[in-house]
Amino acid sequence: MSASSTGHAERARLRAAEDAAERIGTTLDARTTCTELARFVCRSLCDAAAVELLPDDAVPDDAMPDDAVPTDAEHTAADPAAAVARATLHRVAAEGRVHLLEADRGGAPAPVSVPLLAHGHLHGVLRAARADGGFTADETATLHHAARLAAVHLAHARRHAAARRTALDLQRALLAEPGRPHPNVELATRYLPADRGALVGGDWCETIRLHYGRTLLVMGDVMGHGLEAAVEMSAYRSALRYVASAELPPHRVLRQLDAVVARDDRRRPATCLLAQLDPARSIASFASAGHLPPVVFGADGSARLLAVPAGPPLGTGAGGYELVTSALTPADTLLMFTDGLVERRGEDIDASLSRLAGLRLPAGAAPSDLLDEALRRLGGRHVEDDVAVLAARIRGR
């Protein structure tokens, strides 16, 4: 081969490698990476391609040499590790774990298989076929390069997915269900992350039983998102349960909680709304630390905002919380929520609250049905921020 031909081949391989690096692994999603790999090889190397992945639990923990698994094209000797890997791959194919199969463009291609190996770990296999015969040495090298590149991105995607599952499991544990109120209160709660795949944030709600049939309802929102906000939220819940055990009025609970939190300057600020329900007297007492006001839906389904003065957020040490008392009959349903339910980008908060206050929900709906209907009408399942919402109603005697 002449020097010019050799230089042309090297430049072609370099362009192919650069093209593969740009087109494969644009996300941390394994399926997308498989799709990109199959599309890349089908653009210029083959007529049909399939990418078959091993299940996550089948990817070996112990690394093996990257050349331990031979390709069908080379028909090399069967190393024991390679034989196990190939048997696993054929089992995966038989079970239908095929992430993408590009359409065959005619003929009866004989496929070749290239292992998806990265750092000694086997992640699957790339199967490629062409109708007009086999692959040249340069084409085979490009197939191996693309498969190796995809395998590296698959390894990153799997590590990212594993870390994300761990974070979500921890956050779900932190985001415990609220306690059970007294039997004289009907309660329904919902928590919705801003995105179905997003990490939970610092929105939370809680219920605490008090003496004489009273129940303390809590709605809080720690500033920020992610694991740190969820950990802070759990700390706030623990501190609140401790302070509330003294059976103080809501404004004094907030005052003490603010003092406790303000002692640690590493704590994130949080807003909080308390409502103490007293079914025996059909009243509710409220206090707010920078939180949005609650809404009461009457027997006819109409809504009214309660004017609860918003004191400073928790963690400032400023105090200054006021107590507000309002009648609450068994025909009324109290709705408490975090700002994700109503706030919309570019909209004034007063307009957001007016939209909520303008709702007219089905008369006599159960608290859980009322919550679902409010979320549906306000688009709460497709919002930009987390949503925690609580509906409570005093049971009639």
Side-chain angles (χ1 to χ4, degrees):
M1 180 180 293
S2 65
S4 61
S5 298
T6 302
H8 177 74
E10 290 178 350
R11 285 193 297 272
R13 284 197 296 269
L14 180 59
R15 283 195 299 271
E18 292 174 344
D19 193 22
E22 187 159 329
R23 294 179 179 274
I24 300 173
T26 60
T27 70
L28 282 173
D29 179 71
R31 182 178 180 86
T32 300
T33 298
C34 293
T35 302
E36 292 168 345
L37 172 61
R39 286 177 177 164
F40 171 77
V41 299
C42 282
R43 284 178 62 243
S44 57
L45 296 173
C46 60
D47 297 313
V51 181
E52 301 163 3
L53 286 185
L54 287 168
D56 288 346
D57 56 2
V59 176
D61 293 328
D62 296 327
M64 58 182 167
D66 285 358
D67 57 355
V69 183
T71 67
D72 291 342
E74 296 170 334
H75 300 290
T76 53
D79 178 88
V84 172
R86 177 165 296 177
T88 304
L89 289 174
H90 284 299
R91 174 178 60 79
V92 170
E95 292 175 358
R97 292 192 178 95
V98 180
H99 276 243
L100 181 99
L101 178 63
E102 287 285 334
D104 180 8
R105 291 198 283 265
V112 298
S113 297
V114 181
L116 301 177
L117 276 172
H119 310 299
H121 295 278
L122 178 67
H123 294 273
V125 66
L126 164 67
R127 300 193 185 279
R130 63 195 309 174
D132 58 355
F135 297 88
T136 67
D138 286 343
E139 290 170 338
T140 301
T142 301
L143 285 174
H144 276 267
H145 175 77
R148 180 71 59 84
L149 180 62
V152 170
H153 287 293
L154 287 172
H156 292 164
R158 279 175 160 155
R159 283 196 293 270
H160 172 74
R164 188 170 177 279
R165 283 194 299 269
T166 300
L168 285 173
D169 289 342
L170 177 58
Q171 289 183 324
R172 274 191 287 267
L174 293 173
L175 192 69
E177 289 291 323
R180 299 182 65 182
H182 277 285
N184 54 18
V185 174
E186 294 182 72
L187 184 74
T189 62
R190 299 285 187 273
Y191 175 81
L192 302 174
D195 185 312
R196 287 300 179 186
L199 300 178
V200 300
D203 297 28
W204 56 285
C205 59
E206 183 63 278
T207 64
I208 301 172
R209 289 192 184 197
L210 304 174
H211 288 103
Y212 310 113
R214 297 171 300 159
T215 296
L216 182 67
L217 306 179
V218 186
M219 184 63 62
D221 187 357
V222 178
M223 294 184 181
H225 296 87
L227 187 58
E228 293 83 1
V231 171
E232 286 288 319
M233 172 267 295
S234 181
Y236 270 100
R237 292 180 77 158
S238 298
L240 177 70
R241 293 190 192 105
Y242 173 75
V243 173
S245 64
E247 307 249 352
L248 299 171
H251 64 302
R252 294 184 60 189
V253 172
L254 288 181
R255 189 185 307 161
Q256 290 208 14
L257 183 58
D258 177 57
V260 169
V261 174
R263 296 191 192 111
D264 187 351
D265 57 8
R266 297 171 300 176
R267 298 289 288 274
R268 297 188 182 195
T271 66
C272 187
L273 174 66
L274 301 185
Q276 188 182 101
L277 305 190
D278 188 345
R281 297 192 295 164
S282 294
I283 61 171
S285 302
F286 300 91
S288 172
H291 204 85
L292 294 178
V295 172
V296 173
F297 288 91
D300 60 354
S302 61
R304 60 186 174 94
L305 284 170
L306 296 184
V308 180
L314 297 174
T316 63
Y321 306 109
E322 298 182 38
L323 184 69
V324 172
T325 301
S326 175
L328 192 70
T329 71
D332 298 324
T333 303
L334 175 68
L335 185 72
M336 300 167 63
F337 51 91
T338 55
D339 53 10
L341 178 67
V342 295
E343 283 189 345
R344 300 295 179 265
R345 184 177 299 178
E347 182 181 70
D348 185 79
I349 187 59
D350 290 334
S352 303
L353 291 174
S354 295
R355 184 173 58 253
L356 172 61
L359 290 182
R360 193 178 188 90
L361 300 181
S368 59
D369 296 334
L370 186 145
L371 275 190
D372 291 337
E373 183 66 14
L375 287 169
R376 186 186 69 81
R377 295 203 192 174
L378 295 172
R381 299 185 184 276
H382 306 283
V383 295
E384 300 173 353
D385 196 3
D386 299 346
V387 175
V389 61
L390 173 155
R393 178 185 299 163
I394 295 174
R395 294 184 188 274
R397 294 185 179 179

